[in-house]
Amino acid sequence: MLEKTTRMNYLYDFYQSLLTPKQRSYMSLYYLDDFSLGEIAEEYDVSRQAVYDNIKRTEAMLEEYEEKLLLFQKFQERSKLLVKMKEMLKGDNPINETIIETVAELEKLD
Amino acid sequence: MLEKTTRMNYLYDFYQSLLTPKQRSYMSLYYLDDFSLGEIAEEYDVSRQAVYDNIKRTEAMLEEYEEKLLLFQKFQERSKLLVKMKEMLKGDNPINETIIETVAELEKLD
């Protein structure tokens, strides 16, 4: 569950601009502010089921966007390469060739 | 006009997965294969106006996606930083601190 929450937080971060204001409100209360479904329902004066359905649909939309655009996946790959690059630059004699190869890998990600 | 074509080619490249198959066909014939509106209309047995309207709507959608997700803009910024990094790595004594700063700028883009 925690893993799913982390993933949803990331997907929400990448794709929130494509959601409606209501979807954004529910998702942000549920995933960022840790409100329960019941609390959100009360806040918006709708049924718990309505909130649940909306959040489920939004989660599916976020996964669909990720399937199409891969922003989260590419972000993770880029992060790994940048960490690697920083490690290489820490040494006294960083090998330029290896860093250049990492730059090339970064370019391929776009 | 050429500038617009280049921009549309890039936006299409980044966001084509979010378009319908018909939108993709028209856009790819018009922008990648350089078909005229009349030629596309003939190919699909629809009016020239219908093709024109569809392409105009799709162009607006692509600009809207770019406004929301900034994939093209970030791609350009990342490219510049990677070119800069490669330049720095070409020298005999690349200054690690400057490269590390560039890595930090790259990280901020995500």
Side-chain angles (χ1 to χ4, degrees), chain B residues 76-89:
Chain B
Q76 288 176 298
E77 292 172 27
R78 251 195 305 270
S79 297
K80 259 187 238 163
L81 290 170
L82 291 173
V83 166
K84 196 175 140 189
M85 209 180 264
K86 278 191 286 189
E87 277 306 313
M88 289 188 291
L89 287 163

Side-chain angles (χ1 to χ4, degrees), chain A residues 14-15 17-18 65 68-69 71 75 78 82 85-86 89 91-92 94 96 99-100 103 106-107 110, chain B residues 14-15 17-18 65 68-69 71 75 78 82-83 85-86 89 91-92 94 96 99-100 103 106-107 110:
Chain A
F14 283 111
Y15 302 111
S17 62
L18 301 176
Y65 282 131
K68 288 176 177 171
L69 295 172
L71 298 188
F75 160 77
R78 252 196 305 269
L82 291 173
M85 208 180 265
K86 279 191 285 189
L89 288 163
D92 274 342
N96 283 5
I99 305 178
I100 290 168
V103 172
L106 275 169
E107 283 175 325
D110 261 319
Chain B
F14 283 113
Y15 301 112
S17 62
L18 301 176
Y65 281 131
K68 288 177 177 169
L69 295 171
L71 297 189
F75 160 77
R78 251 195 305 270
L82 291 173
V83 166
M85 209 180 264
K86 278 191 286 189
L89 287 163
D92 275 344
N96 284 4
I99 305 177
I100 289 168
V103 172
L106 276 168
E107 282 174 326
D110 262 318

Side-chain angles (χ1 to χ4, degrees), chain A residues 73-88:
Chain A
Q73 188 188 309
K74 286 182 181 179
F75 160 77
Q76 287 174 299
E77 292 172 29
R78 252 196 305 269
S79 297
K80 258 187 237 163
L81 290 170
L82 291 173
V83 166
K84 197 175 139 190
M85 208 180 265
K86 279 191 285 189
E87 277 306 314
M88 289 188 290

Side-chain angles (χ1 to χ4, degrees), chain B residues 2-44:
Chain B
L2 213 142
E3 204 177 303
K4 193 196 162 188
T5 303
T6 309
R7 180 174 173 83
M8 275 304 145
N9 270 314
Y10 270 110
L11 294 185
Y12 179 71
D13 205 37
F14 283 113
Y15 301 112
Q16 57 174 294
S17 62
L18 301 176
L19 303 176
T20 66
K22 194 169 84 175
Q23 285 178 316
R24 274 202 289 271
S25 304
Y26 287 6
M27 288 298 279
S28 132
L29 288 172
Y30 190 66
Y31 278 108
L32 305 182
D33 304 331
D34 206 28
F35 274 47
S36 71
L37 294 173
E39 286 168 331
I40 302 172
E42 213 170 296
E43 184 91 4
Y44 282 86

Side-chain angles (χ1 to χ4, degrees), chain B residues 58-74:
Chain B
T58 309
E59 286 174 2
M61 273 180 69
L62 292 177
E63 289 291 358
E64 222 174 286
Y65 281 131
E66 174 63 10
E67 214 171 285
K68 288 177 177 169
L69 295 171
L70 301 174
L71 297 189
F72 181 39
Q73 188 187 309
K74 285 183 181 177

